[in-house]
Every structure is written in C-alpha cells, then in structure tokens.
Amino acid sequence: MSAARKKVAVLISGTGSNLKALIDASADSDCPYVIDHVITNRPDAPGLIYAEGAGLARTVINHKEFASREQFDGILDGFLKSISPDIVALAGFMRILTERFIHEWQGKMTNIHPSLLPAFKGLKPQQQALDAGVAEAGCTVHWVTPGVDEGPIIAQMRVPVIAGDTAETLSARILEKEHKLYHKALKMVARGEAVFPAG
Ligand code: GRF
C-alpha cells in the first residue's frame, strides 16, 4: 500500500493560476500530495473559483479585519494548526509574514518566486531581470525563512530572455514554468526528497 498522501494547504491572494496547476496535477491518484485546503487573505481573490470548482475546503482570513500583522498571523497560525497540514504552500500570497509565524511553520512552508533566486528578490523580479540585462530568467520554489525570498532552494526552472521581451511577455513565459515547477517541488517535499536543511 502506498504511503498516505501529504496534506497541503495552499495560501493565495490573487489569480491563483499556480493553485489551479496544483489542483490539476494532484488529481492524479499517484500524486504524493493532496490539496486539502485553500486559504486567502482576500475575500475577492479570483483564485478562489478554482478551489470552489474542485470542491476544496476554502477559508478567508481577511487581513483588513485585524489591527496588526501579529494579530492576523496569530489567527492564521491557529487556523493552520486546527487543520494540521503537512505542507503550507504559498502561491502568490502577498503578505509579509512575521518571524514568529515563520518559525512556527519553518520546514513545512514553501513559496514560489518568479526569479532565479538568489537573484531578484522582492517585487517585480521580472522587470528587475530585464533591467539587469540577463540572458536567462526563471522561477524558484524555496523553503520560507524570515528573510523575504531568502530560504533554501528546493527547485528551479529556467527560461530564456528573448529580445524585445517586456515584463509581461517574460512573466508569461516564467509563469508557464511555475505551473510545472511547483508541482515538481511539492512532490519532492511530499516524498521526503527535499527536506529543510538541519542546523
Ligand atoms: C506568481 O508569479 C508567483 O511566483 C508570485 O505571484 C504570482 C502568482 O500568480 N509569487 P498566481 O496567483 O498563481 O496566478
């Protein structure tokens, strides 16, 4: 008998195309993980439609209803503990998380970022790549640690930068890879092939 599939909670804030790709890819019964819950900080996040379409449990924790980042993170932490996912996958989750929260989930929490980290952390990494004149761009799935976009790398995929690229065309090329990369990385984590480095 195959091992139980790892439970993944996906956190989104926006379009949710990575969420959709994960939902589709994990429909395969051989997949070592299953999307167990979708959580968003935005009640109007368009990506919720994918969770709904797939009949997944979904929860809105609206950050605007909290006076501080600490309060929001405290509620999110409590909620996550109540559903006890094996993996917390940030997929376009546009909130800076407090150190306290990150320490609670360190080793279980992953993020996807549209650059070849450690290059181009933070906002608009595709534009940063164009501005730097690099020949290659790409995307990274990494463990979440307190520094923004700084955690140990799990997997990356590369794309060429093509003459005439704009932030939009490059972003679209990277996003196509993101949709493959996050599934690949979550399979590695679920199988124990990628583990948060000790020490
Ligand atoms: C992706 O480019 C992801 O890497 C970044 O935010 C974007 C989210 O896209 N963190 P989507 O909501 O998954 O479509």
Side-chain angles (χ1 to χ4, degrees), residues 14-19 91-94 111-114 126 175 178-179:
T15 314
S17 69
N18 276 290
L19 167 66
F93 186 65
M94 303 304 284
N111 182 43
I112 187 159
H113 183 75
Q126 304 93 338
L175 195 58
E178 289 186 45
H179 296 161

Side-chain angles (χ1 to χ4, degrees), residues 131-143:
D131 293 344
V134 292
E136 263 191 333
C139 44
T140 304
V141 174
H142 64 94
W143 297 108

